[in-house]
Amino acid sequence: MFTLAEVASLNDIQPTYRILKPWWDVFMDYLAVVMLMVAIFAGTMQLTKDQVVCLPVLQSTVNSKAQPVTSGKVDFTTVETTTGPGEEASMRTVSFGSAPTVTPDIPLSRATSPQYQSTASGQEVKKEQKDSSGRKTNLDFQQYVFINQMCYHLALPWYSKYFPYLVLIHTIILIVSSNFWFKYPKTCSKIEHFVSILGKCFESPWTTKALSETACEDSEENKQRLTGAQSLPKYVSTSSDEGSPSASTPMITKSGFKFSADKPTIEVPSVTILDKKDGEQAKALFEKVRKFRAHVEDSDLIYKLYVGQTIIKTVKFIFILGYTANFVNTISFEHICNPKVEHLIGYTQFECTHNMAYMLKKLLISYISLICVYGFICLYTLFWLFRIPLKEYSFEKVREESSFSDIPDVKNDFAFLLHMVDQYDQLYSKRFGVFLSEVSENKLREISLNHEWTYEKLRQHVSRNAQDKQELHLFMLSGVPDAVFDLTDLDVLKLELIPEAKIPPKISQMTNLQELHLCHCPAKVEQTAFSFLRDHLRCLHVKFTDVAEIPAWVYLLKNLRELYLIGNLNSENNKMIGLESLRELRHLKILHVKSNLTKIPPNITDVAPHLTKLVIHNDGTKLVVLNSLKKMTNVAELELQNCELERIPHAIFSLSNLQELDLKSNSIRTIEEIISFQHLKRLTCLKLWHNKIVNIPSSITHIKNLESLYLSNNKLESLPAAVFSLQKLRCLDVSYNSIASIPVEVGFLQNLQHFHITGNKVDTLPKQLFKCVKLRTLSLGQNCITSIPDQVSQLLQLTHLELKGNCLDRLPATLGHCQLLRKSGLVVEDHLFDALPSEVKEVLNQDTSIPFANGI
């Protein structure tokens, strides 16, 4: 035997899941419990009270005297037969069962009467008066018991016998169907995670703070509106309207916790400062919500399972109602039984009574009423499921009531779970929406960031760079700390991998700031901050992955002098993506582009009239179209590095003001076009290093003003005499080639100060080399030189001498006459230096106050 508590346990769910049970599910759960009680009550009554009493139907009338004998139980203990004078034999019984015992002496008319169905247990049967009469059956007790049991199974409808069990089975199926989505592993894990996150979001201090600040903001704005906010002065830029952002420029506008550019800043009263623990918990919640949303929005399994179990319950209701209604009229108190046991009893037909008939009928009607109510609720649930799209959930109402206008709409299982929660309490969804808002998350990060990065901590990170400027580098933060803008003496600010960087009006305090680095940091600026940057910023470095990441306000910095762009600018795959117009950058002098260009962007020509330096560093992509270079007539320095150029571009020969040309790391094999450089009267520096040049044409003599020539890392095997006719040449670098000898004409270069021939095959040094008395740097390392002439003493201005990697067995003692040469500038093997005379080593070890000059 089982108890109600044991069966009802099937309907138990975790208390936290109650927020996902709407009123109809709760009502159906209570109905299921009542149906369980009906089933258990009916089953208990049937097991303890259910019985059938049968009497044979006689064909002829027989007068006899009988005594009525009744008892209340079927467990007979004694049976006695008594006789008296002039009387028929009668039977006296003492019984404790529930089935009545009717003796052959009992009159038929009285035995079938209901008043004889129940008597006190153990009461003795007494004789009736002699004048009583009845119909005699001549059946003994065992035959009556046999007939009662036979007719219970034959005459009673099956529904009367199995009604409690059917109700129990149907109710258990309905209970399992109602709660299956809480038990199924693939949905249970998601539901458990959702309920856990929802509860934490509801109780998080950050939710209270965010909603409170929203209320304060709305209150302040309404107060201003009512007190005449129109009288407040708007911000007026001190600069001209030129270069101000257009309507399409993505400045920070009034959205969420952002401030409007044309409204005075409203100081929102602080509510509660979150401690570090609460802040970390809130940030962890944001991350959990983000991951949970990505996981749950991919499928609609929970929705389908809930719809499926509701359909199963509806079909079950129709099935139960369909067959149960037909059995209401079959439950009757009287039944006719034909057991076909005439050979055992002597009678063919019996009339039976079922004592539980009335109770079962009432219980069946009650059960049908309950199942009808249950079914109508199932139909309503189906109507609710298909009336609105439950796989979409909009936070529009929350967005209207709060300042979190960026709360996204959700879909699939995530949306369905939120719809279910709304049936419990809509406040849960409102508080949950706070953790879906990027504005809210950014505000939390801002509070935590400012709490962690104080002014003192930032001051410790300030350093001096190579240009002796104060520099601050912030890397992978959630935002820009407010205390940064209190460092008023800062010269350079580097922001790297800060996706939510915002530059507030406080930047106008940083009067020394002239250089800004944005590395994968699409910073947003407010109007006042933009006005300050437009007027004061001189150098800007922007590193990006896609050109669309370049902030639009960058193109409006009219006083910018230097712009460095590092990232993908190739618009071959998307013609709509490219650099915006640089027309507003009217003072731009230096443009440095490190990208994968196939042609020079046409927008660069917007700054062509005033551009003095253009640098293009490709990643190995071939630069094909160079016609735009012809428009850059004022360019003095041009670098085209790693562009896979095979020849010197003809467009370069039109740059009449060109002073320095760098074609490093290309694929140039021949430089016959070098004769055209004679038209470039101002060209003083030519860098053709890291190419595949085999020889130098004699026409190089036409570049008469050339002062620096870099031909290192090529495939040269000799130096033509024409090179040494360039009388103004001060620097010659032919390192890492295959040059076997240095021509004696090198002595003609009387202005030569730096000569690099490291990494070649030179074995002897001509004495004429040491006639270049102005030499300061002489790099002869990694050759095959066997001796150094004593004439090295003529190089009185020599400060750097590289001899390491040769075949020397000694160094000349005359090195001591090189007055500016010191040990730090002498690159040679230790054993060679140690072999020098002590007085020479003493001279070389002396300190000098003369600074090392390595420039030109």
Side-chain angles (χ1 to χ4, degrees):
M1 190 68 185
F2 46 79
T3 64
L4 177 63
E6 291 173 340
V7 179
S9 64
L10 296 172
N11 201 28
D12 288 344
I13 60 170
Q14 295 185 22
T16 53
Y17 286 1
R18 285 179 297 184
I19 61 176
L20 292 176
K21 294 185 74 69
W23 67 266
W24 54 81
D25 277 351
V26 176
F27 196 15
M28 284 191 286
D29 286 346
Y30 283 116
L31 288 175
V33 172
V34 175
M35 286 187 281
L36 271 179
M37 295 175 65
V38 170
I40 295 175
F41 177 72
T44 304
M45 292 290 294
Q46 190 178 54
L47 292 174
T48 57
K49 299 291 185 181
D50 197 19
Q51 62 183 359
V52 172
V53 178
C54 299
L55 287 179
V57 178
L58 303 179
Q59 300 299 324
S60 60
T61 304
V62 180
N63 292 326
S64 63
K65 295 179 181 180
Q67 287 181 331
V69 180
T70 60
S71 91
K73 299 184 181 179
V74 293
D75 185 17
F76 295 93
T77 58
T78 63
V79 179
E80 297 178 4
T81 303
T82 60
T83 59
E87 296 178 342
E88 296 290 333
S90 63
M91 184 177 290
R92 181 169 63 87
T93 65
V94 180
S95 60
F96 301 93
S98 60
T101 301
V102 182
T103 67
D105 295 329
I106 297 175
L108 180 63
S109 62
R110 301 178 71 180
T112 58
S113 176
Q115 64 181 335
Y116 292 100
Q117 296 295 317
S118 173
T119 59
S121 175
Q123 183 180 5
E124 294 184 354
V125 179
K126 297 183 178 180
K127 294 181 179 180
E128 196 177 85
Q129 294 180 356
K130 294 181 180 180
D131 55 354
S132 62
S133 61
R135 304 188 67 179
K136 192 172 183 179
T137 62
N138 297 319
L139 294 178
D140 60 14
F141 172 72
Q142 296 296 334
Q143 290 174 317
Y144 274 107
V145 173
F146 176 74
I147 287 299
N148 289 345
Q149 293 179 354
M150 285 289 295
C151 290
Y152 182 84
H153 294 285
L154 295 176
L156 255 64
W158 68 271
Y159 195 78
S160 298
K161 295 180 287 186
Y162 301 112
F163 165 72
Y165 308 105
L166 291 174
V167 174
L168 180 62
I169 293 172
H170 292 323
T171 306
I172 290 175
I173 292 175
L174 293 176
I175 290 175
V176 172
S177 299
S178 294
N179 298 292
F180 185 70
W181 69 314
F182 292 127
K183 307 292 185 179
Y184 185 56
K186 289 186 177 180
T187 56
C188 175
S189 59
K190 294 180 181 179
I191 293 173
E192 184 177 358
H193 198 185
F194 173 76
V195 171
S196 174
I197 292 176
L198 187 65
K200 292 177 181 178
C201 292
F202 189 84
E203 298 173 356
S204 173
W206 172 246
T207 312
T208 304
K209 178 176 174 59
L211 294 177
S212 301
E213 287 193 355
T214 298
C216 290
E217 268 193 348
D218 295 340
S219 176
E220 288 294 329
E221 289 182 0
N222 293 335
K223 185 177 179 181
Q224 278 202 344
R225 192 182 303 113
L226 294 174
T227 56
Q230 296 178 352
S231 61
L232 293 174
K234 294 184 178 180
Y235 170 79
V236 180
S237 176
T238 57
S239 60
S240 62
D241 292 335
E242 293 182 286
S244 60
S246 62
S248 62
T249 304
M251 297 294 171
I252 294 179
T253 57
K254 185 73 173 67
S255 173
F257 286 94
K258 303 171 185 175
F259 294 92
S260 176
D262 56 355
K263 291 183 180 180
T265 302
I266 300 171
E267 291 295 334
V268 180
S270 60
V271 184
T272 306
I273 301 300
L274 295 178
D275 57 26
K276 187 174 182 181
K277 181 179 179 181
D278 291 337
E280 292 300 324
Q281 289 178 348
K283 286 193 286 186
L285 272 178
F286 274 107
E287 187 65 24
K288 285 182 179 180
V289 170
R290 187 183 299 108
K291 291 183 178 179
F292 178 77
R293 179 188 173 193
H295 175 60
V296 176
E297 275 192 320
D298 290 339
S299 68
D300 56 354
L301 178 61
I302 298 177
Y303 171 77
K304 289 180 178 178
L305 192 60
Y306 188 83
V307 172
Q309 69 183 31
T310 305
I311 293 175
I312 290 175
K313 289 189 291 185
T314 306
V315 172
K316 189 71 176 175
F317 146 71
I318 297 173
F319 172 72
I320 294 173
L321 191 63
Y323 85 87
T324 304
N326 297 328
F327 291 105
V328 176
N329 295 327
T330 63
I331 299 177
S332 175
F333 179 73
E334 296 181 355
H335 298 276
I336 300 298
C337 178
N338 298 298
K340 297 181 180 180
V341 290
E342 186 178 358
H343 61 288
L344 297 176
I345 305 298
Y347 296 95
T348 59
Q349 191 176 37
F350 295 84
E351 185 173 348
C352 306
T353 60
H354 184 203
N355 69 330
M356 285 288 295
Y358 294 114
M359 180 61 69
L360 286 178
K361 194 167 188 176
K362 292 177 182 178
L363 289 176
L364 178 58
I365 294 173
S366 300
Y367 176 67
I368 292 176
S369 302
L370 291 172
I371 204 67
C372 286
V373 176
Y374 194 97
F376 288 135
I377 296 176
C378 288
L379 293 175
Y380 173 81
T381 305
L382 287 177
F383 168 75
W384 180 79
L385 286 171
F386 296 109
R387 181 175 62 91
I388 57 175
L390 296 181
K391 292 198 291 184
E392 298 176 0
Y393 189 91
S394 174
F395 285 95
E396 182 177 358
K397 187 176 180 181
V398 180
R399 291 194 291 263
E400 291 175 355
E401 295 178 354
S402 68
S403 60
F404 305 121
S405 60
D406 67 321
I407 299 178
D409 295 338
V410 296
K411 59 183 180 179
N412 289 335
D413 282 345
F414 200 4
F416 176 69
L417 290 173
L418 290 173
H419 279 294
M420 297 295 283
V421 169
D422 280 349
Q423 299 300 315
Y424 183 82
D425 190 349
Q426 292 186 354
L427 184 59
Y428 277 91
S429 298
K430 182 177 180 180
R431 286 178 168 262
F432 192 76
V434 173
F435 287 89
L436 289 170
S437 169
E438 290 187 7
V439 174
S440 173
E441 185 175 7
N442 293 337
K443 185 64 178 178
L444 172 64
R445 290 175 178 174
E446 180 182 341
I447 293 175
S448 302
L449 186 70
N450 292 331
H451 182 73
E452 179 182 0
W453 290 87
T454 60
Y455 176 85
E456 292 75 16
K457 184 175 181 179
L458 288 170
R459 175 59 68 180
Q460 295 175 359
H461 285 75
V462 175
S463 61
R464 288 198 172 272
N465 60 14
Q467 290 77 32
D468 198 32
K469 294 181 178 180
Q470 291 198 59
E471 176 183 298
L472 175 63
H473 187 190
L474 299 179
F475 178 73
M476 290 188 69
L477 299 182
S478 58
V480 182
D482 290 342
V484 168
F485 307 105
D486 294 328
L487 302 171
T488 56
D489 55 346
L490 204 63
D491 299 308
V492 181
L493 177 60
K494 291 185 177 182
L495 305 177
E496 184 172 359
L497 292 174
I498 304 178
E500 299 297 332
K502 296 182 180 67
I503 301 178
K506 284 182 66 177
I507 197 174
S508 57
Q509 301 175 178
M510 306 175 71
T511 54
N512 290 340
L513 184 66
Q514 293 189 349
E515 184 174 341
L516 178 63
H517 294 245
L518 301 176
C519 301
H520 301 288
C521 179
K524 298 178 181 178
V525 298
E526 297 188 20
Q527 180 64 44
T528 306
F530 167 75
S531 299
F532 172 80
L533 293 175
R534 180 186 58 190
D535 296 338
H536 292 81
L537 198 63
R538 297 294 180 265
C539 180
L540 177 63
H541 295 247
V542 183
K543 188 174 183 180
F544 51 89
T545 303
D546 191 86
V547 67
E549 298 177 13
I550 302 177
W553 53 268
V554 168
Y555 304 102
L556 304 175
L557 300 174
K558 66 176 185 179
N559 287 326
L560 195 66
R561 300 292 190 272
E562 302 178 23
L563 177 60
Y564 296 81
L565 301 176
I566 305 174
N568 182 15
L569 289 175
N570 191 354
S571 58
E572 291 298 320
N573 296 329
N574 189 347
K575 299 294 184 181
M576 301 303 294
I577 297 178
L579 278 175
E580 294 186 21
S581 176
L582 304 178
R583 191 174 293 107
E584 295 297 329
L585 306 180
R586 300 175 182 176
H587 295 89
L588 190 66
K589 300 296 182 183
I590 299 175
L591 178 59
H592 188 290
V593 180
K594 187 175 182 180
S595 184
N596 55 346
L597 299 175
T598 57
K599 62 179 180 180
I600 296 179
N603 289 337
I604 291 182
T605 59
D606 294 338
V607 293
H610 43 82
L611 199 67
T612 59
K613 183 177 181 178
L614 175 63
V615 179
I616 296 179
H617 285 199
N618 259 10
D619 61 354
T621 304
K622 190 171 184 178
L623 189 61
V624 180
V625 182
L626 295 165
N627 292 333
S628 300
L629 289 176
K630 295 180 180 180
K631 299 179 181 180
M632 302 180 186
T633 54
N634 290 323
V635 168
E637 298 182 35
L638 177 62
E639 294 185 21
L640 302 176
Q641 296 189 16
N642 207 16
C643 298
E644 287 297 313
L645 300 176
E646 296 179 357
R647 304 181 71 90
I648 300 175
H650 290 279
I652 294 176
F653 305 136
S654 302
L655 306 178
S656 57
N657 290 312
L658 190 64
Q659 298 179 16
E660 181 176 332
L661 176 62
D662 189 349
L663 300 178
K664 181 181 179 181
S665 300
N666 284 283
S667 300
I668 299 175
R669 297 178 181 275
T670 177
I671 53 174
E672 295 297 333
E673 302 91 342
I674 205 169
I675 190 173
S676 299
F677 282 138
Q678 63 182 328
H679 303 296
L680 306 180
K681 303 297 184 181
R682 298 185 179 183
L683 186 64
T684 58
C685 181
L686 180 59
K687 297 181 179 180
L688 299 173
W689 44 1
H690 296 269
N691 279 280
K692 300 176 182 179
I693 301 172
V694 178
N695 56 62
I696 303 173
S698 59
S699 55
I700 196 173
T701 57
H702 296 287
I703 315 176
K704 298 187 179 299
N705 293 321
L706 198 62
E707 297 180 359
S708 301
L709 179 60
Y710 293 84
L711 291 167
S712 63
N713 295 90
N714 278 282
K715 297 183 178 181
L716 299 176
E717 296 182 356
S718 62
L719 292 175
V723 173
F724 305 105
S725 64
L726 302 173
Q727 295 297 320
K728 294 185 179 181
L729 201 63
R730 295 194 297 167
C731 179
L732 177 60
D733 187 356
V734 290
S735 301
Y736 301 103
N737 282 279
S738 300
I739 300 172
S741 62
I742 301 175
V744 296
E745 288 83 359
V746 69
F748 296 152
L749 301 177
Q750 291 299 310
N751 292 313
L752 190 63
Q753 298 180 8
H754 306 276
F755 182 42
H756 304 273
I757 196 169
T758 303
N760 282 275
K761 300 178 181 180
V762 178
D763 54 359
T764 58
L765 297 177
K767 296 180 180 180
Q768 288 80 0
L769 173 62
F770 303 103
K771 293 182 179 180
C772 303
V773 294
K774 293 184 180 180
L775 273 175
R776 298 181 181 179
T777 303
L778 181 58
S779 299
L780 303 171
Q782 301 179 36
N783 280 280
C784 303
I785 302 172
T786 56
S787 63
I788 303 297
D790 293 337
Q791 285 82 358
V792 70
S793 60
Q794 299 177 14
L795 305 179
L796 300 179
Q797 299 184 23
L798 190 65
T799 59
H800 181 84
L801 176 61
E802 180 184 353
L803 298 173
K804 195 171 184 178
N806 283 283
C807 302
L808 300 173
D809 54 1
R810 65 179 184 86
L811 294 177
T814 53
L815 281 177
H817 298 289
C818 300
Q819 300 175 358
L820 302 180
L821 184 63
R822 294 295 177 263
K823 183 181 179 180
S824 58
L826 179 61
V827 182
V828 69
E829 288 82 358
D830 292 338
H831 71 277
L832 294 177
F833 181 82
D834 294 338
L836 287 171
S838 57
E839 60 274 10
V840 176
K841 290 192 290 185
E842 184 177 350
V843 171
L844 294 175
N845 284 324
Q846 288 181 355
D847 293 333
T848 178
S849 60
I850 300 176
F852 171 69
N854 195 27
I856 298 176

